[in-house]
Amino acid sequence: MKTTRPKILLMAGLALALALAAGIAFSFDLPPFKRSGLIRAEDVCPSLGAGSATVSALDEVLPDKSSYSFREDTRDPRTDELDDSYQTSCFVRGDNEQLLFAGTEMLEYDRAGSWMEEAVAQFESAAALKPFAVGDNGVASSRVAAIYLPCTSHGANRHLSVIVRLKKHGNAADSALRNGLITLATNAASYAHAEARCDLPLNMKN
């Protein structure tokens, strides 16, 4: 049976349309050609802590993007034991969209509960924040992880307040997001404890 000319033209037209659609999908990173960006340890903010655990946690919590960028901002390094301030920030972006923020600051509260109510609950409801064992206080949800860690013996209650906020998340379950954020906050707290010249022992568990 012969294939008529109109059928040949129709099949050729369909093939051309499919090729054009595939080309557009590839050019704009649309499925099934979406490219996943690579998070490299050397690009990650130093304040998030080094090591494969940090990279794995970022891979877990962040959405799939074709590229990622990290910007460190150390506004107030602690220069000596008499300095009573320390502040650093890390901004994580993917495809020009802010995905995650991590900030550490030296603060002083009479109670760890007051720290959570004033410094953390502005980013997440108190009901969603569940405790985990670290420092004087650690709370986390699928969107925020925060740690209140003793730092200096000078002054009443000089602590490091570490807060990691996930602004855009991937497809992981809430429990996996929470665990990933806890890893990032814990690593950031360990880094800050050394960089801020803390003289109290590093207590990562109660």
Side-chain angles (χ1 to χ4, degrees):
M1 181 177 179
K2 292 184 178 180
T3 303
T4 63
R5 182 177 177 81
K7 287 184 178 179
I8 293 175
L9 292 175
L10 177 60
M11 287 187 290
L14 289 173
L16 179 60
L18 288 173
L20 287 173
I24 292 171
F26 180 81
S27 298
F28 289 93
D29 289 343
L30 300 174
F33 301 103
K34 185 175 178 62
R35 296 187 295 269
S36 295
L38 179 65
I39 298 175
R40 302 183 303 175
E42 57 267 31
D43 296 332
V44 174
C45 295
S47 63
L48 281 179
S52 58
T54 295
V55 173
S56 296
L58 289 168
D59 280 330
E60 183 71 41
V61 304
L62 296 180
D64 188 32
K65 298 293 182 180
S66 62
S67 65
Y68 299 93
S69 64
F70 297 82
R71 181 170 66 86
E72 179 95 344
D73 181 8
T74 304
R75 296 185 179 181
D76 191 1
R78 188 168 186 248
T79 56
D80 56 50
E81 66 275 5
L82 298 179
D83 192 350
D84 62 357
S85 62
Y86 175 85
Q87 185 175 8
T88 185
S89 303
C90 175
F91 302 87
V92 183
R93 301 181 68 85
D95 296 345
N96 297 317
E97 183 178 28
Q98 188 167 336
L99 307 178
L100 182 143
F101 170 80
T104 301
E105 186 176 4
M106 189 175 284
L107 298 175
E108 184 174 320
Y109 284 92
D110 292 334
R111 299 181 303 106
S114 298
W115 161 80
M116 191 194 78
E117 294 165 5
E118 296 183 23
V120 187
Q122 59 179 306
F123 305 117
E124 178 67 287
S125 67
L129 292 167
K130 305 303 181 185
F132 63 98
V134 61
D136 277 5
N137 201 355
V139 290
S141 70
S142 60
R143 299 194 306 166
V144 175
I147 293 172
Y148 193 56
L149 188 71
C151 179
T152 76
S153 56
H154 306 290
N157 288 290
R158 302 307 292 176
H159 282 59
L160 293 175
S161 170
V162 180
I163 300 177
V164 180
R165 297 164 51 200
L166 184 61
K167 297 192 172 184
K168 301 287 182 180
H169 61 79
N171 297 321
D174 285 352
S175 58
L177 294 174
R178 182 178 185 272
N179 289 337
L181 290 175
I182 288 175
T183 296
L184 293 173
T186 301
N187 290 352
S190 296
Y191 173 89
H193 187 272
E195 288 296 307
R197 304 170 184 266
C198 295
D199 55 32
L200 292 176
L202 178 59
N203 177 19
M204 298 309 292
K205 290 187 178 181
N206 286 322

